[in-house]
Each structure stands twice: as structure tokens, then as C-alpha cells.
Amino acid sequence: MRLQCEVEVVSRLLPTCGLRGRGRGTRALLSLGRPPGRAQGGGVYLMVCTARDRVGARYKVQENIERFFTRFVEEGKATVRLREPAVDVHLSKANASNLKTFLAAVRLAHQGTNTEALPLSTLVPAKNSEVEKPKTKMIITSRRDYPLTKNFPYSLEHLQASYCKLARIDMRVLCLKKLRKLDLSHNHIKQLPATIGDLTCLQELILHNNHLESFSEALCNSTLQKSLQFLDLSQNKIKALPIQFCQLQELVNLKLDDNELIRLPFKIGQLDHLRFLSAARNKLPFLPSDFRKLCLESLDLFGNPFEQPSLLVPNIQLQIPLTLLECAARATINYRIPYGCHLLPSHLCEDLEVAKTCQCGSACLSSFIQITVTMNLHHVAHTVVLVDNMGGTEAPIICYFCSLNCYSQFLDRYLQSNG
């Protein structure tokens, strides 16, 4: 039986000499078994192999363990105190389940009962790969360095595979459950698999300079909602992001430069943690009404073909009298009545998700007045990159009104404030 973890062997005699242990473990392979060639009835030993000592140090187990310390076993930590020699074997960074199984076997070997039934190993020197520190970072910057036959180390937390001419994401990458940062920039990727959402620790996803045309709803509904903080989709061919995109509510930094975006997500104001947004050199004619809810440190919207505001040329979609559907939808949202696909048809739920908000705070679904007005981007961002070469920091933003009365009141206030 074997266990990979970090080990520190500390002599209990050190304090009498005024010394103490380092307090830091070393990557090791623990084995419970008998030396090669030893008879089946021979003693059982605990062997600790490290990168410096692959042959390993052996400690007799039977009736030689003074105490087990297992208070933090669920965290992958434990200590085995030996009688002879007087040392404590500190174990850490172990798989909790494997550690429990290993300690149970050591306990039985110590008691000397039914040792023949234990899954003992032959005590042989460890291989380099078994005692090396797990690799957490791998950077690949050319196609010839990309591994074709070997798997990626499962311990990877940061993987960069750039300039590798990848047309799709390697399925082996999707098995790296500890991955925190994935950089696949400068490739030829056209589509993202939904299984990226299974990388529960992923905080940074960099897909700069690929051939992406969309960002799927499945990814927006995945565990990335709770983990993803940095997303770089710049220099792709994306025309629009799904409504569900705003469910990625842990996003802090979002890069959308040099795409073909004709609109930003309708509910972008729901990204409460967003602090850095760049969507330069796209095809944005205006900003969504929810944009005014953002609170950014930095904003870059340079090079978009923003339209002139149409304050006095409203798009009137009012329904008089209001339909029963419109009345019910407004009441559902305004009174915060719970709803879901188990209560309403899915298409009605989708309509409610994209309901517009009037300046008075009320909701409206398909009966509204729409205009565009100018907004100074400093209202939502501390640092603003100029919108155009003329030094402007203003951009058109959509406004909705639930009734003619709301529109008239807004128009009066706007005209008075602008003299």
C-alpha cells in the first residue's frame, strides 16, 4: 500500500538540544509492506522515500506506534508517533480518503492482527516521478512542443498553450480539475465545449486571437458562475453574447476588444464585481440601459460606430390598452413574484428575463417607448479611454419608458437641465 503526500520526520529529542524541526514537509512516497525477499511472516515496515533519498528510510510498525493524531485527517493531515526511534511522522497535503485508508492499514499492522490480509507493498526504491513535486505550471508556445502522446500532469493549475494552431480544445485539458488559469490564445479555436464548465476551479480563461463566433449559454449556466474572474475574448469574431452571459457574476475583468459585437449583454448591470471592461473596435451603435448600473475602475470603448442620440425621435411600441400578458408580466416583476419553468411556459420565462426597466423603476415587456440619450462614461468608470479621436468620453445609451407620461416627464426634465 502506498500514499503520496508531504512528509516531515521530526525527532522528539530535538527540543532537548535546543533545536526544532523545519515545520515544512517534503514531497514523499509512503509505503507499507515488507522488504523484498522477506518471508510472508516477516515484520511490516513503514518506508518513507523522498527525492533526496529514493531508497527510503524504514520504520518498524508492529507494536511500535505510540499514538495516531488524526484530528485534521479530513484536511489531508495526520501524525504517526513512533516509539523507536522517537520520531513523529507528520503527513500533509494527502488525499483525505487515501490517507484514511492508509492509516487504517498502518493501525492493523501495528496491532499485528490479520496482517496477511493487508494490501502490503514490496519495499523498493521510489521512482523519480513518484517523489517529484507535482507540476503546477506548464507553458507551451509552439506546435512542436505540444504533447501528443503524453497526458498533461493532473496537478496543473496554470496551462498556457499558445501558437499551437489548435482548432479545438483538447479533451485532455478538460480533465485538469485543479486548473485555475487556462490560456489558449493565438490559436484557431472556433467553438468552446460545454465541458469547460466542469473546471470548477477555473478563475482565468484567455482565448485572445482565435476564431470564436459565439460564447455558449451552457458555459454561462455552468460552475463558471462561481469561479470565473477574468475572461479574455478579444480578437475573435463574436457578434453577440447570450442573455445568460450576465450570470457569470464573479467576473472582475472582461476583454471583448476587436470582435464584431453589435450589442453588449442586455443585463450587463448584473455583473456587480466587474471592474475592468474593454470592448474597443467593435460595431456597437449604443449601450444597453443596464450599462448605467456598472461601477468600473477602467472602461475602454474606443473605435465603436456610436449613433447620434435620438431623444426627440422615439421608437414608440406602446399598446393601448395594455394586453393581459403585459399586465401580468409587469405585475410579476414589479411585485417580485417567484416564477420558473415549473410554473410558466419556458418562452414566457425567457421574456421575463429580458424585461425592460422604465426610468420610474417599473418593468415593461413589449409595450414601451425607446430613445437613446448621451451619457458621460465617467458616471460608471473612474478611468475612461477616449471614445473617439476627438477626445470624447460620451456614448449613447438606450432608455425605456413604460408609458407616455413617464416619457413626457423625462423629456421635460432633460430639456430644462440643458437649457
Side-chain angles (χ1 to χ4, degrees), residues 118-132:
L118 291 175
L120 302 178
S121 302
T122 301
L123 301 182
V124 295
K127 300 175 183 177
N128 278 330
S129 59
E130 293 175 321
V131 290
E132 286 178 347

Side-chain angles (χ1 to χ4, degrees), residues 112-314:
T113 57
N114 200 21
T115 56
E116 302 304 320
L118 291 175
L120 302 178
S121 302
T122 301
L123 301 182
V124 295
K127 300 175 183 177
N128 278 330
S129 59
E130 293 175 321
V131 290
E132 286 178 347
K133 188 174 181 179
K135 193 169 186 177
T136 59
K137 185 175 181 179
M138 177 181 285
I139 297 179
I140 305 165
T141 55
S142 68
R143 187 173 178 82
R144 72 171 181 270
D145 295 333
Y146 193 83
L148 297 176
T149 55
K150 294 173 60 178
N151 284 328
F152 294 101
Y154 288 111
S155 53
L156 280 184
E157 296 179 9
H158 176 185
L159 173 62
Q160 177 180 344
S162 303
Y163 302 99
C164 297
K165 299 182 180 179
L166 299 177
R168 62 180 184 274
I169 295 182
D170 194 330
M171 297 303 290
R172 293 174 296 170
V173 172
L174 305 177
C175 298
L176 304 176
K177 299 303 182 183
K178 296 182 179 180
L179 209 58
R180 294 181 180 273
K181 181 176 181 179
L182 177 59
D183 184 348
L184 297 172
S185 56
H186 303 284
N187 283 294
H188 301 160
I189 298 169
K190 293 183 178 180
Q191 193 172 4
L192 300 176
T195 41
I196 287 183
D198 296 335
L199 300 175
T200 55
C201 297
L202 193 63
Q203 296 177 351
E204 299 184 38
L205 179 58
I206 302 172
L207 297 161
H208 168 77
N209 194 13
N210 275 280
H211 298 166
L212 293 173
E213 296 180 356
S214 64
F215 191 87
S216 73
E217 296 178 7
L219 288 177
C220 301
N221 294 323
S222 69
T223 56
L224 295 182
Q225 291 181 2
K226 298 181 180 179
S227 64
L228 194 63
Q229 299 176 15
F230 181 95
L231 177 61
D232 187 350
L233 296 172
S234 57
Q235 289 193 30
N236 280 282
K237 300 177 181 179
I238 300 173
K239 294 182 179 180
L241 294 169
I243 297 169
Q244 294 82 357
F245 184 85
C246 297
Q247 294 178 15
L248 301 173
Q249 295 192 4
E250 295 302 314
L251 274 180
V252 175
N253 196 330
L254 175 61
K255 292 180 177 291
L256 300 169
D257 308 300
D258 300 291
N259 275 280
E260 300 174 9
L261 288 170
I262 57 174
R263 65 175 183 271
L264 289 176
F266 184 76
K267 293 288 186 180
I268 195 169
Q270 292 180 352
L271 298 177
D272 295 332
H273 294 105
L274 192 65
R275 295 295 177 266
F276 304 90
L277 172 62
S278 57
R281 295 172 296 279
N282 278 280
K283 298 179 180 180
L284 298 174
F286 43 72
L287 302 175
S289 59
D290 236 34
F291 197 87
R292 64 178 77 247
K293 296 180 182 177
L294 293 175
C295 183
L296 304 173
E297 290 290 329
S298 177
L299 173 63
D300 183 2
L301 295 174
F302 178 80
N304 281 285
F306 287 126
E307 296 177 354
Q308 290 297 315
S310 59
L311 179 65
L312 301 176
V313 187

